[in-house]
Each structure stands twice: as C-alpha cells, then as structure tokens.
Amino acid sequence: MGLEDLPPAELGEWFTEEKRLLAQRVLREQYEQGRSIAQISLDTGYSLTRVRKLLLREGVVLRSRAGSRSRAPG
C-alpha cells in the first residue's frame, strides 16, 4: 500500500472513517520508513497539520524535529 492509495486532499473535506483509517495506515508506513511530515505533506497534498494529526491518531510517536533546540533551564 502506498501514497497512490490515499484519498485525495480536498480543502476542508472531512474523511469518512474508512478513508481516515486508510490514510492513517499509509502515512504511518511512510513515516516509519523515515520520511518526514513535511515530505509526506508535499507528496500527498495534505497539510502538515492533517498529516501530523493522522499520524497521532494512528498512535505514532513522532520524532523530534530536525534542527529543533531544547532550551536549558536558567
């Protein structure tokens, strides 16, 4: 199952449960293969927010963002 199996990204469209579950599975596979949320967003036409939310609904533990800095207390 790959990106070609995803439902199209219609602006403002809510997915049916069937479409959402399919999208979650496909996005999880892509993310676990090392693709970033930004890469997945570009390839699918889904917004960054939609990709992130679908991954979280699938139970994916997100990686830290590249280049993000943690601030030391004090």
Side-chain angles (χ1 to χ4, degrees):
M1 194 169 298
L3 294 177
E4 65 278 354
D5 298 312
L6 287 173
E10 300 294 331
L11 185 62
E13 176 192 10
W14 290 84
F15 283 169
T16 62
E17 184 175 0
E18 181 181 342
K19 285 183 178 182
R20 180 182 52 79
L21 292 172
L22 171 64
Q24 286 175 198
R25 284 192 302 269
V26 172
L27 296 180
R28 178 184 197 137
E29 289 174 10
Q30 294 295 310
Y31 191 74
E32 288 179 345
Q33 290 174 9
R35 300 179 57 90
S36 70
I37 291 175
Q39 289 170 323
I40 295 169
S41 175
L42 286 172
D43 289 344
T44 61
Y46 293 0
S47 70
L48 292 167
T49 301
R50 180 176 270 189
V51 172
R52 186 176 185 282
K53 284 183 179 181
L54 289 169
L55 288 171
L56 291 173
R57 285 189 76 150
E58 183 67 7
V60 173
V61 176
L62 300 179
R63 300 184 293 264
S64 61
R65 293 182 359 192
S68 67
R69 298 182 216 179
S70 59
R71 291 176 45 162

